[in-house]
Amino acid sequence: MDTLDTPFSTLIRVASHEQHTEAETSTFMSDLLGGRLTVEAYARYTEQLWFVYRALEGSAGALRGDPVAGPFIRPELFRTAELQRDLAHLRGPDWRDGLHPLPATAAYAARVEECARTWPAGYVAHHYTRYLGDLSGGQIIRDKAERTWGFARKGDGVRFYVFEQITNPSAFKRGYRELLDAVNADDLERQRIIEECRRAFDFNGAVFRELGREFPLSAA
């Protein structure tokens, strides 16, 4: 691909395609989307998401004025409150009791926090990987969860996937890609962002592998 005239949003998508595909087609996610796992597996996955988004959004306030990461801090994307509502539905009011991250999740969240503190451009890579995925493939998970476990359409249990403040997801994603294309970084820094994006997908894949070991299909 000729990188000179290729939009950065395209470069980052193409460069991370392999890792993205590996994460999406993991055994755990395939079994979850295939309706072969219990709602307990879905709840455990939702718990892991909470740790990651707490890291992403807990760092957001300090980055609002940053020339690289600042334009990406969009409150309409924030998911922590929705995850907490889902967990209260899935686990009950004491959902925080016994809540713990898998080792891969802890490493993932720690990397997000490290980037937020020391390298805002790296934070952008994690931001892109998570939120654009939520607005796209995440909707497949929502639909499957509603049909498999009987959650009300866009109701408690799947609130994480419902972006009530984004009325036109397609237009929002176009605008997000325009932000990526205009990101305040030189070519070398953009290549580092791409590498961090690959790393973010690898973190996701590691979480899925650990969930797969915790919820083998034979235990469903």
Side-chain angles (χ1 to χ4, degrees):
M1 179 182 292
D2 182 1
T3 61
L4 293 177
D5 298 318
T6 303
F8 182 54
S9 58
T10 300
L11 291 176
I12 198 170
R13 175 178 55 81
V14 172
S16 60
H17 178 72
E18 182 177 350
Q19 286 88 349
H20 190 178
T21 300
E22 287 178 1
E24 283 189 335
T25 58
S26 67
T27 299
F28 174 79
M29 188 53 65
S30 295
D31 288 341
L32 192 73
L33 292 177
R36 295 183 291 273
L37 295 178
T38 64
V39 69
E40 172 63 22
Y42 175 78
R44 189 78 170 106
Y45 171 53
T46 304
E47 290 177 346
Q48 304 314 300
L49 290 173
W50 181 78
F51 287 103
V52 175
Y53 282 84
R54 186 178 62 165
L56 271 170
E57 294 167 11
S59 307
L63 291 171
R64 288 185 190 278
D66 184 83
V68 178
F72 293 88
I73 306 302
R74 308 287 293 273
E76 61 266 42
L77 288 171
F78 289 178
R79 299 288 88 199
T80 303
E82 284 73 17
L83 280 165
Q84 292 177 176
R85 188 168 175 177
D86 285 341
L87 286 169
H89 181 74
L90 291 162
R91 299 293 199 199
D94 298 324
W95 60 271
R96 290 177 187 266
D97 294 350
L99 185 70
H100 65 279
L102 292 165
T105 305
Y108 186 3
R111 179 57 182 171
V112 172
E113 291 172 343
E114 179 185 15
C115 286
R117 288 194 310 271
T118 66
W119 182 34
Y123 175 90
V124 170
H126 290 279
H127 193 280
Y128 159 79
T129 301
R130 291 283 4 148
Y131 291 111
L132 246 60
D134 301 332
L135 283 165
S136 300
Q139 301 311 304
I140 298 172
I141 301 175
R142 176 187 63 78
D143 180 68
K144 179 61 70 171
E146 289 169 354
R147 290 189 286 114
T148 302
W149 299 299
F151 300 125
R153 178 170 168 75
K154 297 186 178 182
D156 289 347
V158 294
R159 298 278 180 190
F160 168 73
Y161 302 101
V162 181
F163 292 80
E164 292 183 342
Q165 297 181 53
I166 298 177
T167 57
N168 188 332
S170 295
F172 186 92
K173 287 186 285 187
R174 283 195 300 272
Y176 191 102
R177 293 187 184 102
E178 289 171 0
L179 286 179
L180 282 174
D181 294 339
V183 71
N184 186 10
D186 61 21
D187 289 343
L188 181 60
E189 185 73 339
R190 288 184 176 207
Q191 186 57 46
R192 292 183 67 212
I193 294 171
I194 288 173
E195 291 302 319
E196 189 66 23
C197 182
R198 290 191 179 113
R199 188 174 185 180
F201 280 116
D202 286 342
F203 275 119
N204 275 288
V207 172
F208 289 148
R209 285 192 295 275
E210 290 188 7
L211 284 167
R213 288 193 289 271
E214 189 169 316
F215 296 96
L217 186 57
S218 60

